[in-house]
Amino acid sequence: MALASALACWPASASPWLLRPGDLIVVGRYDFESADEEYLDNTTAQPFPLAGRYNASTFSTTLRYGLLEEIELELYLPIKQISYTSDPVILLPTTEVDSFDYYQENIIDLTQSVRGLADIQMAARYQLFKGPLVGAFELRLKTPTGYDKPTGTFGNRPTSREDFVNRVGELVTPTNVQDDVTLGDGQLDLTPSILLGWATASGTFARLDLGYRLRFGGAGDQILGGLRLGQRLGGRFLVYGGVDTEYAIQKGRIIGISVAAVDPTLPAEDYGGTDNLLLREVRLDRDVITMSAGTIFRATQSVEFNLGYAHTVWGRNTAQARSISVSIGIRTNILPQE
């Protein structure tokens, strides 16, 4: 497989090397993501409170199809299972410890899990130019699928710290825990991007992606960027590394109050009330820088395996996530052969 052909198969999406007419790539992928620290507003990672831990598994199918000589289509379908576990805590203790319903009525457990179909993505790409330097324009649509939208720790109301403090006894109850464990942001995105790529006969390649994400439903727009470098090793291996960034340039609407911790390392038995609570006005906006690396193994002319690792190294309003991905891509041409 020539280098340009291999690059058209990697990654499953957003490649400036478009497929030939009739070419179809089907990619099955599994991602496992975990985190025990988060970035809040000061872009310095800190542990989740109450020994919290986030895990997510994603099984996804991506279809890429070369429609015409200069046009390619894509469909991305993910099934996710997300969980957040933490130690239970009593935030508003009473003096009636011996009452039968004391623990049921007072213990706050932020452990949550959810599974189902996450955001569907559809994209179209148009080849702008070819050669040692290639370019393509991409238009990508992300749409939610009816899952519960993210909210604050105890729901989407109130949306101010002051109102939350005034109603803390009403809001901080075990039955009102909602948190933001969700399959996505629950809003529509439209992202135009320019994809650039460069490759040499020796197997070296580079990619630069630049985009602007229009986020509807009250979320702030983002500027996107990605840089990847790679090298072919022999006839069957391709190694790569890169960096991706998302940066919010607007403030979105507040979707609730998040209850974090002043001292996230404080154990649950030492809370003794609400003094350690840090109230944050939650928005869907976030900033992220992710480093990644991986390798592709070409098993046959039409089958490739991809093993990748990614790590969030900087951010705001996001988890410091580490993820491992394994995928298989199968390529065929579905046009009648002459």
Side-chain angles (χ1 to χ4, degrees):
M1 184 183 294
L3 179 62
S5 179
L7 293 174
C9 191
W10 175 82
S13 62
S15 173
W17 288 274
L18 269 58
L19 300 175
R20 298 172 304 172
D23 275 3
L24 174 67
I25 292 179
V26 181
V27 178
R29 174 167 168 163
Y30 171 73
D31 292 83
F32 177 75
E33 186 178 47
S34 66
D36 53 20
E37 294 189 329
E38 62 182 338
Y39 296 98
L40 296 181
D41 299 318
N42 57 6
T43 66
T44 299
Q46 65 180 52
F48 286 122
L50 300 169
R53 187 168 189 85
Y54 163 84
N55 290 309
S57 292
T58 304
F59 300 87
S60 63
T61 300
T62 300
L63 304 176
R64 286 178 60 195
Y65 179 65
L67 181 64
L68 300 172
E69 185 65 33
E70 297 179 334
I71 297 177
E72 176 183 299
L73 304 178
E74 178 193 319
L75 176 64
Y76 172 75
L77 300 169
I79 303 293
K80 284 190 175 183
Q81 177 173 332
I82 301 174
S83 67
Y84 180 80
T85 60
S86 68
D87 295 337
V89 64
I90 297 178
L91 295 179
L92 300 176
T94 69
T95 57
E96 301 176 3
V97 179
D98 295 330
S99 66
F100 180 77
D101 296 327
Y102 173 77
Y103 292 101
Q104 181 177 353
E105 295 175 353
N106 292 279
I107 290 182
I108 303 297
D109 189 354
L110 299 177
T111 297
Q112 301 278 319
S113 65
V114 64
R115 64 177 59 86
L117 181 63
D119 294 328
I120 295 174
Q121 297 186 37
M122 294 167 282
R125 284 179 283 275
Y126 176 75
Q127 193 83 69
L128 297 173
F129 50 86
K130 297 180 181 179
L133 179 66
V134 298
F137 172 78
E138 177 187 88
L139 188 63
R140 178 173 295 270
L141 175 69
K142 184 211 78 177
T143 179
T145 56
Y147 52 78
D148 291 337
K149 296 180 181 181
T151 68
T153 304
F154 295 97
N156 58 7
R157 294 289 185 274
T159 58
S160 70
R161 298 183 185 91
E162 295 76 12
D163 195 8
F164 186 93
V165 171
N166 293 334
R167 300 170 54 192
V168 65
E170 169 193 347
L171 297 169
V172 183
T173 65
T175 57
N176 197 37
V177 173
Q178 298 184 39
D179 214 347
D180 56 357
V181 177
T182 178
L183 295 172
D185 287 340
Q187 46 76 227
L188 194 72
D189 291 347
L190 185 63
T191 307
S193 300
I194 296 294
L195 315 177
L196 302 173
W198 171 79
T200 68
S202 63
T204 302
F205 72 91
R207 276 187 44 201
L208 176 65
D209 305 340
L210 299 171
Y212 186 89
R213 180 176 291 162
L214 295 160
R215 306 186 73 205
F216 303 95
D221 291 352
Q222 293 175 311
I223 294 175
L224 310 179
L227 175 66
R228 288 170 177 77
L229 303 173
Q231 177 65 49
R232 184 181 61 195
L233 303 176
R236 292 186 178 270
F237 284 94
L238 191 71
V239 294
Y240 60 88
V243 58
D244 293 277
T245 183
E246 305 174 7
Y247 185 78
I249 61 172
Q250 297 174 327
K251 282 189 175 182
R253 65 179 177 87
I254 299 173
I255 62 171
I257 301 297
S258 173
V259 179
V262 176
D263 179 4
T265 65
L266 190 70
E269 59 268 22
D270 293 338
Y271 266 61
T274 59
D275 290 344
N276 195 46
L277 298 188
L278 176 65
L279 302 182
R280 300 176 59 248
E281 295 177 346
V282 182
R283 306 173 191 269
L284 295 177
D285 316 328
R286 62 180 174 273
D287 304 327
V288 180
I289 295 180
T290 302
M291 304 290 291
S292 61
T295 182
I296 294 174
F297 170 67
R298 187 191 68 174
T300 70
Q301 290 293 326
S302 58
V303 178
E304 293 181 343
F305 295 90
N306 190 332
L307 176 64
Y309 174 79
H311 185 195
T312 300
V313 297
W314 179 87
R316 180 183 60 87
N317 196 28
T318 190
Q320 189 189 52
R322 300 168 296 277
S323 66
I324 296 175
S325 64
V326 180
S327 66
I328 177 173
I330 301 174
R331 180 173 181 166
T332 187
N333 191 289
I334 62 175
L335 292 180
Q337 300 299 312
E338 297 182 357

